[in-house]
Amino acid sequence: MLLTYPALAMLFDGAASALMIAAGVLSLAALLARRSGDHARVDGLALAFCIALAAPLAAVALSTLAHGHPTFPVWDSPSRFLFVIPVFLALRRASTRPLAWADLAFPIGALATLFIALFLSRDWSAGDHRIGSKFLNPIHFGDLALAFGVLSAAALNWWRKDKPWVVALKIAGLFAGLATSLLTGSRGGWIALPFVLAIVLWQRGRGKSLRWKVLAPLAIVALFAIVYGASSTVRERIDIVSANLTQYQHGHEDTSVGVRLQLYKVAVELVQEHPVLGLGGHGFRDAMDSMARQGRLTPAAAQLGKGEVHNQLLAYMTDYGIVGGLALLAIYFVPGFFFARRLKSPSPAARGAAMLGLLFAVMFFVFGLTVETFDLKGTVSIYALIVAALAGIADRANSDASNSSSF
């Protein structure tokens, strides 16, 4: 399932949600079919992971019910985290042999994004040619392409020393993801790259010489400089940010960056006014007209704010308060801590899965700083299932290694 998931999710509308639900149901059935004596022990780390996955739905339910307006449609996206708990638990008990091919999922997914960008794309903004898929806008589409490309490269020699054709496929996946991200022009996702490279250098630099630790970061900086100098697309998208900030300082607020800054400011004010449980489901959206009438943001910003806040944490905190914000942070930081712990595993396969999971969680956290990553059911399904699958694989491989060393 994991092998085909990223590609199918990119190519077909609704595939991400359908496959995630199917995986959850099948995993639950597999768990129930086992005798109780066969169940692996759920330790504190695994329990914390499961609680974190359940937290968003609990926070959304608490907030919406407390306001007397359940707004059940907003329960849909956070429920996707709950569906993947059986996936995590089932993979902790599964044989690792068929899972060893999961590393091909990411290059296949990245190549699928490039195929869409070249042959099945939709131009979402004719003025500046912002392409996405037919069901994912350029920001979400570009972010996912970038994530699959990064994971494609990070999966090199995950389970074993890769054969030449596998190495070629994974390198092709890296370049496909980067190319697709550039084609979409979604600059918010690029902010994740320095964090990704810092984690990789930190992990790979263990035991390396001082010379390596100095030269490797310098080489990365030089690479970014070369890309900025050679790519007109990168220069244009970054220069627009600078120009928008200058315009914002001079009172021209209805630019791409200016609108976001207005929405962030209003969101912070609303959180201060309704701190604990927020405004309830769709609270930020429903407050936009009132905010515009009060002059707290421009009509153009209010109109765009009805779509999203452009920040996942602020979106959860305005609608569901501090309770929602803590639940959202748990979705990033508890898996992140889980994967960081598994980086110390005696199993190379467990360390590989942990590195992929940590990179994916960090990238989605950074993506969420400039866009609502979990407002679309497809993106929340992709994040939830991949994080749960990688955590289950890491735990199983770690358990196998620990049991082998005990004999």
Side-chain angles (χ1 to χ4, degrees), residues 176-197:
L178 293 174
T180 304
S181 177
L182 287 174
L183 288 172
T184 65
S186 300
R187 57 185 174 240
W190 304 341
I191 302 172
L193 289 178
F195 295 93
V196 165
L197 293 170

Side-chain angles (χ1 to χ4, degrees), residues 57 60-61 64 69-80 281-282 285 316 320 374-377 380:
L57 181 59
V60 170
T64 53
H69 303 286
T71 323
F72 290 117
V74 302
W75 294 30
D76 193 355
S77 287
S79 72
R80 307 308 169 101
H282 298 313
R285 182 196 69 183
Y316 255 59
Y320 314 120
F374 300 144
D375 61 339
L376 298 180
K377 299 176 184 66
V380 68

Side-chain angles (χ1 to χ4, degrees), residues 77 126 131 161 187 242 274 288 342 363-364 372 400 407:
S77 287
I131 67 168
K161 183 174 177 58
R187 57 185 174 240
S242 177
H274 307 272
M288 287 296 95
R342 289 292 174 255
M363 282 189 289
F364 253 77
E372 289 183 33
D400 288 346
F407 290 103

Side-chain angles (χ1 to χ4, degrees), residues 270-300:
L270 289 172
V271 171
Q272 292 173 338
E273 294 169 6
H274 307 272
V276 180
L277 294 175
L279 296 166
H282 298 313
F284 185 84
R285 182 196 69 183
D286 295 342
M288 287 296 95
D289 288 336
S290 174
M291 296 295 101
R293 286 194 299 269
Q294 295 174 37
R296 296 167 70 173
L297 76 174
T298 65

Side-chain angles (χ1 to χ4, degrees), residues 155-332:
L156 282 165
N157 301 319
W158 175 7
W159 290 88
R160 66 194 83 74
K161 183 174 177 58
D162 288 332
K163 296 179 180 179
W165 71 268
V166 177
V167 173
L169 180 65
K170 291 178 179 179
I171 296 300
L174 169 63
F175 284 104
L178 293 174
T180 304
S181 177
L182 287 174
L183 288 172
T184 65
S186 300
R187 57 185 174 240
W190 304 341
I191 302 172
L193 289 178
F195 295 93
V196 165
L197 293 170
I199 293 171
V200 172
L201 289 175
W202 164 68
Q203 178 66 9
R204 301 289 186 186
R206 292 180 176 180
K208 299 288 187 181
S209 66
L210 179 61
R211 181 181 179 184
W212 186 95
K213 293 179 179 179
V214 172
L215 292 179
L218 291 177
I220 298 298
V221 173
L223 178 61
F224 278 122
I226 291 171
V227 171
Y228 179 81
S231 173
S232 59
T233 300
V234 172
R235 288 199 307 275
E236 178 184 350
R237 298 300 297 167
I238 292 177
D239 291 346
I240 286 175
V241 174
S242 177
N244 284 178
L245 287 172
T246 300
Q247 290 175 305
Y248 185 80
Q249 291 172 345
H250 289 84
H252 302 290
E253 300 180 329
D254 287 337
T255 62
S256 176
V257 174
V259 165
R260 282 173 167 80
L261 293 176
Q262 290 184 66
L263 295 176
Y264 297 165
K265 178 176 177 291
V266 168
V268 171
E269 292 171 354
L270 289 172
V271 171
Q272 292 173 338
E273 294 169 6
H274 307 272
V276 180
L277 294 175
L279 296 166
H282 298 313
F284 185 84
R285 182 196 69 183
D286 295 342
M288 287 296 95
D289 288 336
S290 174
M291 296 295 101
R293 286 194 299 269
Q294 295 174 37
R296 296 167 70 173
L297 76 174
T298 65
Q303 186 60 37
L304 291 172
K306 292 178 180 180
E308 62 170 299
V309 188
H310 282 284
N311 181 288
Q312 186 60 65
L313 180 59
L314 289 176
Y316 255 59
M317 291 188 70
T318 51
D319 283 359
Y320 314 120
I322 294 173
V323 171
L326 292 174
L328 180 77
L329 291 175
I331 285 299
Y332 301 120

